[in-house]
Amino acid sequence: MGSAPGEELRRESGAATQPLGAWWVGVLGLVVSGVLLTSSNLRAYGYALGATLGVLALLRAFLPPGRAGGLEVRSRLTDVATLLLLGTATVTVAATLRLG
């Protein structure tokens, strides 16, 4: 009797109930990166995107399984390694851009 409205229907339909958790940090980082991209600052965009991926890797590494939410895709090690690899590659590409 103490469940939220719609909770019964959600359980009966078999809908996923996993919360997004810390996933919103990635969305916020992508918004900041997008603003930098639209301001024609390509190098800063790459750094911001790489930093966002690095922060997401740290969150995935240190948050308990229930709190990581949408960051939990595969095993913890695979998720962290993938995010760090992509973040490092993005920062490397941004650092080596020849803007002129």
Side-chain angles (χ1 to χ4, degrees):
M1 185 103 189
S3 63
E7 186 68 28
E8 293 280 329
L9 182 61
R10 197 174 312 126
R11 285 186 190 150
E12 290 173 8
S13 69
T17 58
Q18 180 180 4
L20 290 178
W23 187 74
W24 62 269
V25 175
V27 174
L28 183 63
L30 289 176
V31 168
V32 170
S33 299
V35 168
L36 290 171
L37 181 62
T38 58
S39 68
S40 300
N41 197 344
L42 192 59
R43 184 166 283 137
Y45 161 74
Y47 290 150
L49 185 60
T52 299
L53 290 167
V55 168
L56 291 175
L58 288 174
L59 288 173
R60 177 64 177 110
F62 294 111
L63 284 177
R67 301 280 308 208
L71 297 176
E72 294 181 54
V73 179
R74 298 165 209 88
S75 70
R76 184 184 303 256
L77 180 64
T78 303
D79 287 341
V80 171
T82 302
L83 288 166
L84 284 177
L85 179 69
L86 291 173
T88 303
T90 303
V91 168
T92 302
V93 168
T96 58
L97 285 176
R98 291 187 183 188
L99 302 173

